[in-house]
C-alpha cells in the first residue's frame, strides 16, 4: 500500500512539474519575445511569496506544511484586501448596474485588476512548486494541484488575451474564505484544538459563512451570469474556457464543502466523547 501511494505521488509529481515548467516557459516567452512587460508582475508575485516562504522558514519554523500554510494565509489576506478595495472603488465610481455589465466584465479592466490577477497567478505558480518540492499532496490526482493548474491555465490565457480580467477578479472573492481555511490549519498546528473554546467557535462560524457566501454562492452566481450572457460572447475559446473553468471550480467547491463538513464533525467528536465521559 505504501509503495502504491509512493508511485502515485511520483506520477503526479512528474505530471504537475512538467505542466508547471511548460507554463513558466510560456510566460517567459511572452515577456521576452512578445515584449509583454506587464506580465513581469506574475514573476514578481511568485518571487514575493517565495521570499515570504524563506523569511518564515528562517524566523518562525522549518516545518514545510506550516511555512506553506502561512504563506497561503498571507496570499489570501492580501488578495482579499486588494479585491475588496478594487470592487468598492468601482462600486463608488460606476454603481453596481454598470459595474456588472457584460462589456465591463469581459472587455474592460478595472484599475489594478490586471496587476492583482498577475500577482495571484504568480502565487499559484509558487505554491504549486512548493507543494511539489516538499510533497505536500497525496494520491494520483491531488485536488489542490488540479485546482492550481486549472487556475494557472485560465488566469494566464486571460492575461495573454487581456479579456475577462474582471470576471476572474470576481472569482478571487473566494480568498475571503481561504483566510479561515488557513487560519484553522495554523491554529491546529499551534495546538489549539478545543472545540469548546470561543476562538474555535468563532472561527468555524466565519469559516462556514465565508464558504457559503464568498466561495460557493459567488462562484454559482458567476456561472449563472456566464450562461445568461452566453449569446453576448463572440465566437472563440473565451466562453468555453470560462464555463470549463467555472465548472471545475464549482466541482472542487463541492468537494471542499464535504471535506469541511467532515473536519467540523471530527473536531466536534472529541468534545462529545469528553461530555459523555463526564456524564459517566
Amino acid at each position: 500500500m505504501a509503495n502504491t501511494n509512493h508511485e502515485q505521488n511520483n506520477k503526479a509529481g512528474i505530471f504537475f512539474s512538467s505542466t508547471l515548467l511548460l507554463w513558466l516557459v510560456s510566460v517567459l516567452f511572452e515577456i521576452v519575445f512578445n515584449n509583454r512587460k506587464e506580465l513581469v508582475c506574475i514573476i514578481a508575485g511568485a518571487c514575493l511569496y517565495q521570499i515570504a516562504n524563506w523569511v518564515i522558514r528562517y524566523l518562525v519554523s522549518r516545518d514545510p506544511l506550516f511555512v506553506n500554510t502561512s504563506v497561503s494565509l498571507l496570499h489570501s489576506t492580501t488578495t482579499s484586501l486588494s479585491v475588496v478595495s478594487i470592487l468598492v472603488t468601482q462600486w463608488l465610481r460606476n454603481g453596481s448596474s454598470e459595474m456588472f455589465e457584460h462589456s465591463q466584465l469581459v472587455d474592460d479592466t478595472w484599475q489594478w485588476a490586471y496587476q492583482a490577477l498577475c500577482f495571484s497567478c504568480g502565487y499559484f505558480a509558487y505554491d504549486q512548486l512548493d507543494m511539489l518540492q516538499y510533497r505536500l499532496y497525496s494520491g494520483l490526482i491531488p485536488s489542490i494541484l488540479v485546482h492550481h493548474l486549472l487556475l494557472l491555465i485560465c488566469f494566464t490565457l486571460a492575461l495573454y488575451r487581456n479579456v475577462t480580467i474582471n470576471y476572474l477578479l470576481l472569482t478571487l472573492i473566494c480568498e475571503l474564505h481561504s483566510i479561515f481555511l488557513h487560519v484553522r490549519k495554523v491554529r491546529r498546528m499551534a495546538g489549539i484544538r478545543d472545540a469548546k473554546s470561543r476562538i474555535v467557535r468563532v472561527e468555524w462560524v466565519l469559516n462556514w459563512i465565508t464558504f457559503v457566501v464568498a466561495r460557493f454562492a459567488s462562484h454559482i452566481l458567476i456561472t449563472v451570469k456566464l450562461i445568461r450572457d452566453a449569446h453576448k460572447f463572440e465566437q472563440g475559446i473565451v466562453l468555453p474556457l470560462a464555463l470549463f473553468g467555472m465548472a471545475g471550480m464549482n466541482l472542487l467547491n463541492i468537494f471542499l464543502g464535504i471535506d469541511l463538513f467532515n473536519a467540523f464533525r471530527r473536531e466536534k467528536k472529541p468534545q462529545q466523547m469528553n461530555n459523555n465521559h463526564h456524564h459517566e
Side-chain angles (χ1 to χ4, degrees):
M1 182 66 74
N3 286 337
T4 303
N5 289 337
H6 184 68
E7 285 176 13
Q8 287 182 342
N9 285 355
N10 281 341
K11 287 178 181 178
I14 291 167
F15 173 77
F16 286 102
S17 297
S18 302
T19 55
L20 187 60
L21 181 61
L22 287 171
W23 171 86
L24 178 60
V25 170
S26 169
V27 172
L28 292 175
F29 181 88
E30 286 291 321
I31 293 170
V32 176
F33 294 102
N34 290 338
N35 200 30
R36 298 289 302 276
K37 292 177 183 177
E38 67 275 18
L39 295 173
V40 170
C41 287
I42 297 176
I43 307 299
C47 291
L48 174 71
Y49 290 109
Q50 183 58 63
I51 290 167
N53 179 299
W54 289 332
V55 170
I56 294 166
R57 192 177 301 279
Y58 181 74
L59 295 178
V60 184
S61 170
R62 298 185 68 84
D63 175 24
L65 184 59
F66 179 86
V67 174
N68 181 273
T69 307
S70 299
V71 177
S72 296
L73 177 58
L74 174 66
H75 167 256
S76 296
T77 306
T78 54
T79 301
S80 296
L81 288 171
S82 62
V83 170
V84 169
S85 64
I86 290 168
L87 291 177
V88 169
T89 302
Q90 290 302 316
W91 190 296
L92 294 173
R93 187 177 295 172
N94 300 322
S96 59
S97 57
E98 185 182 332
M99 186 176 164
F100 297 117
E101 283 181 359
H102 175 78
S103 58
Q104 274 275 316
L105 294 174
V106 175
D107 301 318
D108 202 3
T109 302
W110 297 324
Q111 190 175 17
W112 299 110
Y114 195 94
Q115 292 84 349
L117 208 63
C118 280
F119 266 83
S120 268
C121 199
Y123 161 77
F124 289 119
Y126 142 78
D127 199 44
Q128 192 87 319
L129 179 62
D130 192 60
M131 286 189 291
L132 287 165
Q133 184 179 353
Y134 293 100
R135 293 185 175 272
L136 302 176
Y137 61 91
S138 60
L140 185 61
I141 310 174
S143 60
I144 187 67
L145 297 184
V146 173
H147 171 266
H148 282 21
L149 177 60
L150 186 68
L151 288 183
L152 282 173
I153 292 169
C154 293
F155 281 23
T156 310
L157 287 176
L159 290 167
Y160 285 175
R161 297 166 63 93
N162 206 2
V163 292
T164 67
I165 302 299
N166 296 340
Y167 253 124
L168 289 172
L169 188 83
L170 289 176
T171 67
L172 288 175
I173 293 172
C174 69
E175 291 300 326
L176 282 165
H177 173 242
S178 296
I179 291 173
F180 299 103
L181 280 182
H182 302 316
V183 163
R184 177 181 172 272
K185 266 192 184 181
V186 172
R187 182 256 299 170
R188 287 179 64 81
M189 283 187 271
I192 305 170
R193 302 188 176 203
D194 183 5
K196 290 185 290 185
S197 70
R198 181 174 293 178
I199 190 169
V200 174
R201 285 178 174 178
V202 170
E203 177 215 289
W204 269 115
V205 169
L206 293 172
N207 210 323
W208 280 116
I209 290 172
T210 53
F211 170 76
V212 172
V213 176
R215 186 179 293 276
F216 192 79
S218 70
H219 285 174
I220 291 290
L221 287 172
I222 291 167
T223 308
V224 170
K225 173 71 173 169
L226 281 170
I227 294 168
R228 285 183 63 182
D229 289 349
H231 65 284
K232 297 179 182 178
F233 281 87
E234 294 179 8
Q235 285 189 340
I237 197 174
V238 175
L239 179 61
L241 188 64
L243 288 172
F244 171 75
M246 289 312 301
M249 289 175 81
N250 285 317
L251 187 63
L252 288 170
N253 286 344
I254 292 169
F255 291 142
L256 177 59
I258 293 167
D259 289 344
L260 202 61
F261 180 70
N262 290 334
F264 179 71
R265 286 180 63 188
R266 279 196 303 272
E267 284 206 2
K268 286 290 181 184
K269 237 177 192 177
Q271 179 186 344
Q272 290 169 356
M273 288 174 66
N274 288 337
N275 288 341
N276 292 338
H277 180 71
H278 288 316
H279 287 313
E280 288 172 7

